[in-house]
Amino acid sequence: MSSFSNSPIGIIDSGMGGITVWAEITRIMPYEDVIYWADTAHCPYGGRTRDEITALVSVGVENLLERGAKIIVIACNTATTAAIATLRQRWKVPFVGLEPAIKPAALTTQSGVVGVLGTAYTVQSEMFRHTMAKYAAGINVMAVAGNGLVEEVENETENSPRAVALLHQYIDPMLESGIDKLVLACTHFPLLTPSIREVIGERDVEIINPAPAVARHTHELLVEGGMLADRAGDGRYTFLSTGGADDVEHLRMRAEHYKKSINETSRG
Ligand code: DGL
C-alpha cells in the first residue's frame, strides 16, 4: 500500500462559507490539490429540511468522488448536522464535519456565559443539544439563529449597516448577559468578523472560529491514513458551483482575498 496520495481534498459548502475552511486547509497543506464545491444555486441551507439538505449535499459528494477526492470536508455546520451520519453510512471515504466549538468555549470561559451564533437549523438541532449536554454542563450557553447573515455574506454586504444592525440584534443580548466567548457556528460567519468586532467594541470577548482546528484535524486524518500528497510544488485549486461560471470566478477571488486577509492577521 502506498503511503501517500496525490488525489484531491474535497470541500463542500452551501456557498461561500466553506472558503473560511479552504483558506486554513490550503494554508497548512499548500502541496495538496483541493476541489471546492459550492451549492450556490440552493444557498442558504439553514431553513431547509434534513432530507433536502442530505439530498443536496449528496450531489456534491458524488461530484467530488467522481473527481477522485480522497477525503471530504463538509465545511458547513448545517450540512454536517443534517447529513454527516447518512453520508458516512453511504460512502467509505473519510468525512470531516463542522460542529459548533462549544467544548473549547466551555473549557476556557471565565464568566460562565458563552454565545453561539449559527443557522436556525444548527442551533435548533438534536446534535447541538447533545453537544451542549456533553460539554457545557453548568455553563450558560446563549444560542442564537443568525437569520439573514448568510445572505449578507453571499451578497458581499457583510460590512453594510444592515449587516451590523442584524449583528447588534443577535449579539447585544449576549453581551448584556456577560459572554466572554462567541462561537461562530456557521462557516459563513468568520467573513463577518470585522462587523462582529465593531459590535463587540472594547469588550473582552473571544471570537471562536473552528476552521483552523478543522484544518489541523484534516491533516491528522491524512497523516494517519497515509494519504498526504507527495508533491514538491503547490497543489491546484479548483472551484465548482451549482450557480454557474460567474459564481466560480467569484468564489475563487473571494477565497484568495480571505486567505490573504487571515495571513496578514496572523503575521500581526
Ligand atoms: N456555511 C453554512 C453553515 O456553516 C451556511 C448554512 C446555510 O447555507 O444556511 O452552517
Side-chain angles (χ1 to χ4, degrees):
M1 206 180 92
S2 66
S3 56
F4 70 90
S5 165
N6 285 337
S7 298
I9 296 173
I11 301 181
I12 291 183
D13 182 41
S14 61
M16 300 265 176
I19 67 174
T20 59
V21 177
W22 174 92
E24 302 291 349
I25 285 181
T26 56
R27 192 155 76 128
I28 66 165
M29 294 178 275
Y31 42 80
E32 294 287 345
D33 281 355
V34 182
I35 306 179
Y36 184 99
W37 186 89
D39 197 4
T40 319
H42 305 104
C43 186
Y45 280 180
R48 294 180 184 275
T49 65
R50 178 194 204 102
D51 287 351
E52 278 176 327
I53 297 168
T54 305
L56 291 169
V57 177
S58 296
V59 173
V61 172
E62 272 166 9
N63 195 319
L64 292 173
L65 290 177
E66 276 164 23
R67 291 161 193 272
K70 60 186 169 188
I71 191 166
I72 296 183
V73 181
I74 307 295
C76 174
N77 292 75
T78 309
T80 300
T81 306
I84 202 151
T86 309
L87 302 179
R88 285 186 171 134
Q89 273 169 13
R90 221 178 262 171
W91 287 287
K92 288 221 157 33
V93 68
F95 286 97
V96 178
L98 258 283
E99 283 170 37
I102 294 176
K103 187 180 173 188
L107 284 175
T108 54
T109 179
Q110 299 288 314
S111 69
V113 193
V114 166
V116 179
L117 195 57
T119 65
Y121 192 98
T122 300
V123 300
Q124 288 159 13
S125 68
E126 186 54 44
M127 192 191 258
F128 185 72
R129 270 193 293 276
H130 181 78
T131 310
M132 280 213 297
K134 192 163 168 197
Y135 297 116
I139 305 283
N140 177 4
V141 178
M142 298 184 72
V144 173
N147 295 325
L149 295 174
V150 168
E151 289 86 339
E152 297 292 349
V153 171
E154 289 291 319
N155 297 331
E156 292 199 66
T157 49
E158 66 271 11
N159 298 319
S160 66
R162 193 182 50 205
V164 174
L166 272 178
L167 287 166
H168 269 295
Q169 186 186 321
Y170 301 139
I171 298 174
D172 285 355
M174 300 183 189
L175 296 172
E176 279 154 28
S177 300
I179 60 161
D180 62 354
K181 307 282 166 190
L182 175 60
V183 176
L184 303 184
C186 168
T187 52
H188 279 71
F189 296 171
L191 289 152
L192 288 150
T193 301
S195 296
I196 295 173
R197 288 205 194 288
E198 189 180 325
V199 169
I200 291 174
E202 295 299 302
R203 296 176 192 84
D204 193 11
V205 176
E206 184 192 1
I207 300 171
I208 301 183
N209 166 16
V214 169
R216 288 195 297 274
H217 181 53
T218 307
H219 178 259
E220 270 162 31
L221 290 181
L222 291 175
V223 171
E224 279 166 21
M227 289 191 293
L228 272 186
D230 180 22
R231 187 180 284 120
D234 284 352
R236 273 172 307 162
Y237 305 141
T238 306
F239 291 85
L240 306 167
S241 167
T242 53
D246 284 355
D247 283 323
V248 168
E249 237 352 83
H250 198 154
L251 272 170
R252 179 187 298 281
M253 275 163 46
R254 271 205 103 181
E256 279 164 10
H257 184 264
Y258 177 77
K259 188 173 170 185
K260 227 171 120 193
S261 77
I262 56 168
N263 278 338
E264 277 159 15
T265 315
S266 66
R267 251 185 264 124

